[in-house]
Amino acid sequence: MHGMSRPSGYRRGVPSADADLGPQDLDAPARTVRREPTRRSPEHAEPSRFLPHVQGLRAIAVLFVVLYHFWPARLPGGYVGVDIFFVISGYLITAHLMREMVATGSIRLGQFWARRARRLLPASLLVLLFCALAAMSPYLTPTSALPDEVQEIVASTFYVENWFLALNSADYLNHSGDPTTVQHYWSLSLEEQFYVMWPLILLLAAWIAVKYFRGDRRRAVLIAIGAVTAASFLFCVVFTLTNPAPAYFVTFGRMWQFGVGALVALIPALRVRNPLLSFVLGWGGILVLLYTAFRFDGQTPFPGYAAALPTIGAAAVIAASNTERWWQPTRILAVRPMRFTGDISYSLYLWHWPLIVIAPSVPFWGLTIYHRVALLGICFVLAWLTKRFVEDPARQWKALTSRPARLSLWASLAAMLLVAGTAGAAWAVNAPAYRDGVQALAQLREDPPDCFGAAAVLEDGCAGTDFGDTILPAPGFAGVDRPADSQCFVQLNDARPVSCDFGSDDPAAPTVALIGDSHAFQLLTTFQRMAQDNGWHLVTYFKGACPWNDTPLSTPGAFGDACTQWRSGVTAALDDRDIDAVFTAAIATTPYASAGYDSSYAAAVAGYRDAWGRMLDRGIPVVTVVDNPVWETDPNKCLRTRDESQCDGARSAVLVAEDPLREAATGLDGVTLLDFTDVFCDDTTCFPVVGGANLYRDQDHLTVTFADSLAPQYTRAIQDALAARAP
C-alpha cells in the first residue's frame, strides 16, 4: 500500500557504485578533478564517501512501510516511507550522475542503466518468480484473484505497475479491492522510470548549456531540475485534488520528490555542517517523519501538498552533515542495527508484502500477534539471505561487469521474459478453474438451493437444514461475487452525485431510491433483480465511505469535504425527483465528527435522523438495515485452508455493539428497521458461512449470492413501505 528506493550496495565498508557520494565530489572545481583513463568505468572516476546516516534513514523508511503493512492501525501514516526513499534516490543518483558529468563531460547511459539492472533486477525478479509460482497454487492464491495477479506480475516485471494501478484507479491507501502480492512494485516501477528519464534530463540540460550558455553545466542542470521539481509539485497538488486515486501512482506527480533530493546533492549551502544547525535540522527532520507516520492515515489527501512534510523531513535529515558528537542524528542513525536494516532494506521491502498477502492462506498459520511477529522475523531472514546471496553476487558478477553494458541489458530482458512466461503459465494452469467458477457463480445466482443462505435461519421449514461442507461461492472465488455496475459508485474526492437508473421504465412505476456507502452498494445487484421482478424503478446514489447522514465525517481535508458536497448534491437531486420509498445502508465504523454533541455516536444518530427527516417530511418512507459484521481480515483466507468451524469470529470482536443507524431508526415514525444480526451471529459467535452460503467477499462486504438470500425480507419491507404511503 507503499514502495521504496533501492538500498545502497555498501557492504563491509566498501561502497557500491550507487553508494552515498561525498558532497565534496560535487563542489570541487572542474580543473581539480583528475580524469581516469577512458578504459575505466566512469563509476570509478572518483572515490566516493559513504554516509552512514543515509543508510539509517533507509532503515527508518523501510520500517515505516513494513510496520504499516503489518499493523496499519498502529502506524497509519507509515506509507510515507515511500516518499523518504524517493528523496534518497534523488540525492544519490543525482550526485552520482553529476560527479560523472564533471569528471568526463558526459554520462555513459548504457553503463548507468546496466548497473541499475544488475543492482535491482536479480532480487526483484526472484520475488516476482516466487509470486508467479504462488499464483499457480489455488491454496495460496484464490482463483478469483488470478487475472489481476497475473496481469500485475507482468506489469511489475516490466516496471509499469504504477501505470497499471493508475489506469485501474486503485485506491492504495484505503485498500479498495483485493491487493495482489505485487502491488507494492508500483514504487519500484516509478523509480525505474526515474532512472531512465533523469540522466536524459541532465544530459539535455548540459547540451543546452554547452550550446547556448558558455558551458556552465552545473547552472543548467540546477535550472532544469528546479523547473521539473516545481512543475511536478504543482501537478501533484492539483491532480491529487481532482483525481486522487491515480495521482498516487503517476510518475510525473512524484518527480518533485526526487528533485528535492537532487537539489540537496547539488547545492552546497543545503548541506549543513555547523554543529548546532545540523543538530536542529537532523532531529527536526526525524520528528517530522515520525509525526507524519503516526498522524497521517488513509484519509489524508496524498500525495498532494501533504507529501511535502515527509519529503522535506527526509531532505533535512540528509542535509544534516555534522558527525562530530554522538548525539548528532548522523551518528545515531549510523549505529549498527540501523545500518544493517538499511543494507537489507531493498530485499526486505520486496519480500514483506507477498508474505503478508499469502500467509493467512497457509495451513496452520494464524493471524495472532505471535504469527505476525514470527512472519516479520521471517521477512528479515529472507531479506538478509537475498542480500547476501543474490543482490551482492549479481552486482559483482564478472561475466557481466567485465563485458559491454548491452550484455547486462539483454540478460535482464531475458530474465524478465522468463518471469512473465511463468506468470502466463500460472494463468494457463488455472484458467479452466476460473472459467468454471464464473459459470458456477452465474448458475448459483439464477438457481440457488432450497433453504440456502439467510433462508436457513429466517424461513419456516428450513430449520435444521444441513449443507454439510458446501460453501457457495467457493472461498477461492468469493472475491468476484460483487456488483458489476462500478460506474454508479463514486470514491475518494469525487463529489459528483452520480445516479443510476434500473428496473421499470413505466412512468406509473413506484420509484425506490437506494442510497449510501459501499454497504449500500453491495446490495445493488439484489435490488436490481427486485426492481425487475416487482415492477419498480430503482435509482441509486453511492459514495465510498460516505453514508447518507448530515453529520460531517471526522476525516479532515479533501475527502471529508467531498463527502459533504456529495451529500448536498444528493439532497438536491432527491428534491427534484418523485421518490416513493428510500432504502439506505451504511458501515457502522464510519468516523463522525462530534459536531457539538456529547459524542460522535450521538452526532451520528442525529445526522441520520436529519437526513431521513427531509424524506419523512415529504411523506416518503425510509427503510434501513443494521450493519453486518466487520472482520479483521477476509474470512475466505481461512476458509480456503481450514474447516469452517475454525474460521468463526467472536461476536464482540467483529460486530459493532452500538450501530448509530439502529439507534436513529428506533421509534422514528415512517422508518422501518431491518436487523439480521441473528442471521450473522449467535449470542457469542459470528459465522462466515450460513446455510451453505459464503457471506463475505472480503473482510466486510457481503457476496451478492448471500445478499440475494435476503431479498424476500428486503422486498417485503419495501412493499409494506410503499403500501403505507399509498393514498
Side-chain angles (χ1 to χ4, degrees):
M1 189 161 221
H2 324 267
M4 75 172 57
S5 144
R6 74 288 172 276
S8 165
Y10 177 86
R11 182 171 65 88
R12 300 181 188 276
V14 180
S16 73
D18 65 332
D20 306 54
L21 302 173
Q24 73 277 8
D25 294 329
L26 303 178
D27 300 337
R31 65 179 180 274
T32 65
V33 175
R34 180 173 58 87
R35 297 183 181 272
E36 295 291 339
T38 56
R39 67 178 181 273
R40 297 190 65 192
S41 168
E43 67 183 280
H44 301 296
E46 284 286 325
S48 61
R49 182 170 63 85
F50 177 67
L51 298 180
H53 78 283
V54 175
Q55 203 72 338
L57 184 60
R58 275 201 180 99
I60 291 177
V62 73
L63 290 174
F64 276 5
V65 175
V66 171
L67 294 177
Y68 166 68
H69 284 152
F70 270 90
W71 294 281
R74 301 294 179 88
L75 198 70
Y79 56 82
V80 300
V82 177
D83 307 83
I84 299 171
F85 273 95
F86 289 165
V87 177
I88 294 174
S89 290
Y91 173 78
L92 295 179
I93 293 302
T94 304
H96 172 72
L97 292 173
M98 197 63 191
R99 184 168 59 90
E100 181 178 343
M101 184 178 291
V102 169
T104 68
S106 185
I107 297 171
R108 297 176 64 177
L109 293 175
Q111 289 204 14
F112 173 74
W113 290 331
R115 289 194 302 272
R116 294 289 86 219
R118 294 195 300 268
R119 173 67 186 89
L120 300 175
L121 263 62
S124 173
L125 295 180
L126 172 66
V127 175
L128 288 173
L129 184 63
F130 167 81
C131 294
L133 294 173
M136 289 188 183
S137 169
Y139 295 102
L140 298 179
T141 302
T143 306
S144 61
L146 191 63
D148 285 343
E149 191 75 32
V150 170
Q151 289 181 83
E152 292 193 34
I153 289 174
V154 173
S156 298
T157 300
F158 294 100
Y159 289 96
V160 292
E161 170 72 351
N162 63 315
W163 287 104
F164 180 90
L165 294 176
L167 294 174
N168 286 277
S169 294
D171 178 11
Y172 190 60
L173 299 185
N174 286 297
H175 314 290
S176 67
D178 298 315
T180 66
T181 57
V182 299
Q183 192 177 88
H184 63 316
Y185 270 73
W186 75 268
S187 66
L188 304 179
S189 300
L190 196 152
E191 288 224 21
E192 287 294 335
Q193 293 157 29
F194 163 74
Y195 295 143
V196 171
M197 292 186 293
W198 208 245
L200 296 177
I201 293 173
L202 267 63
L203 282 174
L204 177 62
W207 178 81
I208 293 174
V210 171
K211 190 170 181 64
Y212 299 105
F213 299 105
R214 301 180 181 179
D216 193 342
R217 294 186 179 91
R218 173 183 289 277
R219 178 173 297 180
V221 167
L222 275 173
I223 292 172
I225 291 177
V228 169
T229 300
S232 172
F233 179 71
L234 180 62
F235 172 84
C236 177
V237 171
V238 173
F239 201 40
T240 300
L241 292 174
T242 59
N243 210 347
Y248 195 84
F249 306 104
V250 169
T251 306
F252 191 65
R254 296 289 194 153
M255 294 299 286
W256 66 275
Q257 297 180 296
F258 296 96
V260 168
L263 292 175
V264 175
L266 295 177
I267 301 175
L270 295 181
R271 296 190 294 277
V272 178
R273 295 181 176 87
N274 177 274
L276 178 60
L277 290 180
S278 182
F279 177 87
V280 172
L281 194 64
W283 286 115
I286 291 173
L287 289 176
V288 167
L289 295 178
L290 290 172
Y291 172 84
T292 58
F294 283 99
R295 300 299 297 174
F296 284 13
D297 59 24
Q299 303 301 333
T300 302
F302 206 87
Y305 59 85
L309 269 182
T311 302
I312 293 172
V317 175
I318 295 173
S321 303
N322 189 282
T323 61
E324 293 178 3
R325 297 289 186 269
W326 67 266
W327 57 77
Q328 290 286 353
T330 50
R331 296 283 292 273
I332 300 297
L333 289 176
V335 298
R336 187 178 296 275
M338 296 295 285
R339 288 175 60 176
F340 171 78
T341 304
D343 283 346
I344 65 169
S345 59
Y346 180 57
S347 290
L348 179 59
Y349 179 76
L350 289 173
W351 280 111
H352 85 282
W353 181 247
L355 296 185
I356 288 174
V357 173
I358 291 171
S361 301
V362 176
F364 311 113
W365 190 272
L367 293 170
T368 67
I369 182 65
Y370 305 105
H371 288 102
R372 295 189 185 204
V373 171
L375 187 63
L376 182 60
I378 292 171
C379 292
F380 269 84
V381 172
L382 278 176
W384 177 79
L385 291 173
T386 304
K387 174 71 165 61
R388 176 68 177 82
F389 296 105
V390 177
E391 286 188 59
D392 291 345
R395 190 179 66 251
Q396 301 166 4
W397 192 21
K398 290 185 178 180
L400 295 178
T401 58
S402 62
R403 301 193 179 182
R406 62 177 177 272
L407 182 62
S408 292
L409 298 176
W410 282 112
S412 299
L413 178 60
M416 294 164 77
L417 292 173
L418 173 64
V419 173
T422 305
W427 169 253
V429 168
N430 291 283
Y434 183 84
R435 288 191 291 267
D436 291 346
V438 171
Q439 184 176 0
L441 182 59
Q443 184 176 352
L444 175 63
R445 289 186 185 179
E446 289 298 324
D447 187 22
D450 293 334
C451 296
F452 179 71
V457 178
L458 299 175
E459 296 296 327
D460 295 337
C462 288
T465 303
D466 185 9
F467 284 86
D469 295 331
T470 299
I471 301 177
L472 299 173
F477 215 77
V480 299
D481 196 7
R482 64 179 67 212
D485 294 278
S486 59
Q487 76 279 3
C488 303
F489 184 63
V490 300
Q491 300 186 66
L492 298 168
N493 298 354
D494 191 344
R496 297 171 300 138
V498 173
S499 65
C500 291
D501 293 83
F502 305 96
S504 175
D505 293 329
D506 186 343
T511 298
V512 177
L514 178 60
I515 309 173
D517 59 13
S518 63
H519 280 212
F521 178 69
Q522 70 186 357
L523 306 177
L524 175 58
T525 302
T526 301
F527 272 62
Q528 287 172 323
R529 181 174 296 184
M530 289 162 49
Q532 197 66 44
D533 292 345
N534 292 277
W536 304 334
H537 181 81
L538 178 67
V539 58
T540 67
Y541 297 92
F542 305 116
K543 178 168 172 58
C546 183
W548 184 39
N549 185 308
D550 278 3
T551 297
L553 302 183
S554 62
T555 307
F559 180 83
D561 293 341
C563 181
T564 300
Q565 294 170 25
W566 176 82
R567 290 168 173 175
S568 297
V570 170
T571 297
L574 292 173
D575 288 342
D576 292 337
R577 299 195 66 147
D578 291 327
I579 305 294
D580 295 288
V582 174
F583 191 102
T584 186
I587 189 169
T589 56
T590 301
Y592 293 96
S594 58
Y597 291 83
D598 292 338
S599 66
S600 60
Y601 175 81
V605 171
Y608 280 123
R609 289 179 173 173
D610 290 344
W612 303 343
R614 287 187 292 272
M615 297 293 101
L616 299 176
D617 290 344
R618 294 168 56 189
I620 301 171
V622 174
V623 182
T624 189
V625 60
V626 175
D627 193 28
N628 54 261
V630 175
W631 299 65
E632 183 179 7
T633 190
D634 184 354
N636 288 287
K637 293 180 179 180
C638 176
L639 292 171
R640 289 206 306 272
T641 57
R642 298 170 181 83
D643 185 79
E644 174 189 327
S645 62
Q646 296 179 309
C647 300
D648 297 339
R651 177 172 173 142
S652 60
V654 302
L655 186 68
V656 175
E658 294 185 339
D659 186 344
L661 191 147
R662 179 195 278 114
E663 177 69 19
T666 301
L668 193 60
D669 290 339
V671 177
T672 301
L673 177 67
L674 301 177
D675 188 347
F676 300 121
T677 300
D678 290 342
V679 176
F680 298 113
C681 312
D682 63 20
D683 291 342
T684 61
T685 307
C686 295
F687 312 102
V689 179
V690 172
N694 192 339
L695 270 62
Y696 302 97
R697 56 179 166 87
D698 55 30
Q699 61 265 35
D700 66 283
H701 293 101
L702 302 177
T703 59
V704 170
T705 299
F706 178 75
D708 283 349
S709 74
L710 290 167
Q713 285 69 38
Y714 295 139
T715 301
R716 191 177 304 120
I718 293 175
Q719 287 175 336
D720 290 345
L722 292 172
R725 187 173 191 260

